Amino acid sequence: MNITPRKLNIFLLFKLPSAWLCGVRLKSIDNTNCVVTVKHRWMNQNPFNSIFWAVQGMAAELTTGALVTGYIRDSGKKISMLVANNNATFTKKATGRITFVCNDGQLVKEAIEKTVATGEGQTVWMKSIGTNKDGIEVSTFNFEWTLKVKN
């Protein structure tokens, strides 16, 4: 996978400036895992003095989307990707630095291999879990990605 944190964070600055301004940053990515952090700041807070749910969603979606993008690039094919569905659960106030981790790289790899082999669209559910500095879960996001080879 040739996506690096530096390349993706520069991409955020120019193509997704709201995520970049809110402090969403890719920390690491490999074939199975992606790690993104966001720190509670004035710019990304809600009225309850914690990170706004949509900012958490941007960070969580980036963990899944970066893995999808990496495997699409590795396939050498033109494949469309789109979030078709998502849901989230919030279990604790998000303050300080929140780390989102997705470990579903293998699921994406299999879905892309299948869509390339069959030509049929595929869907894959991916989970991103956000934890605070103490390792306590603050939110969990699930994203349903649709993948299809372009003609």
Side-chain angles (χ1 to χ4, degrees):
M1 192 171 292
N2 61 3
I3 293 179
T4 65
R6 179 173 161 71
K7 286 180 187 177
L8 204 111
N9 288 329
I10 291 170
F11 173 83
L12 285 178
L13 174 62
F14 291 104
K15 297 295 185 178
L16 296 169
S18 60
W20 191 85
L21 287 170
C22 287
V24 174
R25 300 292 186 272
L26 184 86
K27 293 298 179 184
S28 67
I29 186 168
D30 61 30
N31 290 335
T32 56
N33 309 310
C34 186
V35 178
V36 171
T37 65
V38 62
K39 185 176 181 183
H40 176 234
R41 304 185 309 186
W42 175 84
M43 175 66 92
N44 63 22
Q45 72 180 354
N46 60 28
F48 309 106
N49 206 25
S50 63
I51 300 174
F52 185 55
W53 70 267
V55 175
Q56 292 181 62
M58 286 190 290
E61 183 182 2
L62 182 58
T63 63
T64 63
L67 288 168
V68 173
T69 301
Y71 275 110
I72 287 173
R73 283 185 166 197
D74 289 352
S75 77
K77 303 286 184 183
K78 289 187 177 190
I79 298 174
S80 65
M81 58 186 274
L82 179 68
V83 173
N85 201 347
N86 79 299
N87 61 61
T89 304
F90 302 91
T91 52
K92 186 161 177 60
K93 202 171 180 177
T95 57
R97 185 172 304 279
I98 306 300
T99 302
F100 287 89
V101 178
C102 178
N103 298 314
D104 293 336
Q106 188 61 35
L107 295 176
V108 175
K109 180 181 179 186
E110 292 167 5
I112 289 176
E113 287 172 351
K114 191 169 183 181
T115 195
V116 168
T118 66
E120 296 176 8
Q122 301 294 314
T123 63
V124 60
W125 277 95
M126 299 175 74
K127 180 186 286 191
S128 182
I129 299 173
T131 56
N132 64 18
K133 66 180 174 80
D134 298 323
I136 298 169
E137 186 177 313
V138 298
S139 59
T140 300
F141 286 80
N142 297 292
F143 296 94
E144 180 186 29
W145 286 96
T146 60
L147 306 165
K148 187 172 183 181
V149 177
K150 295 179 184 178
N151 294 330

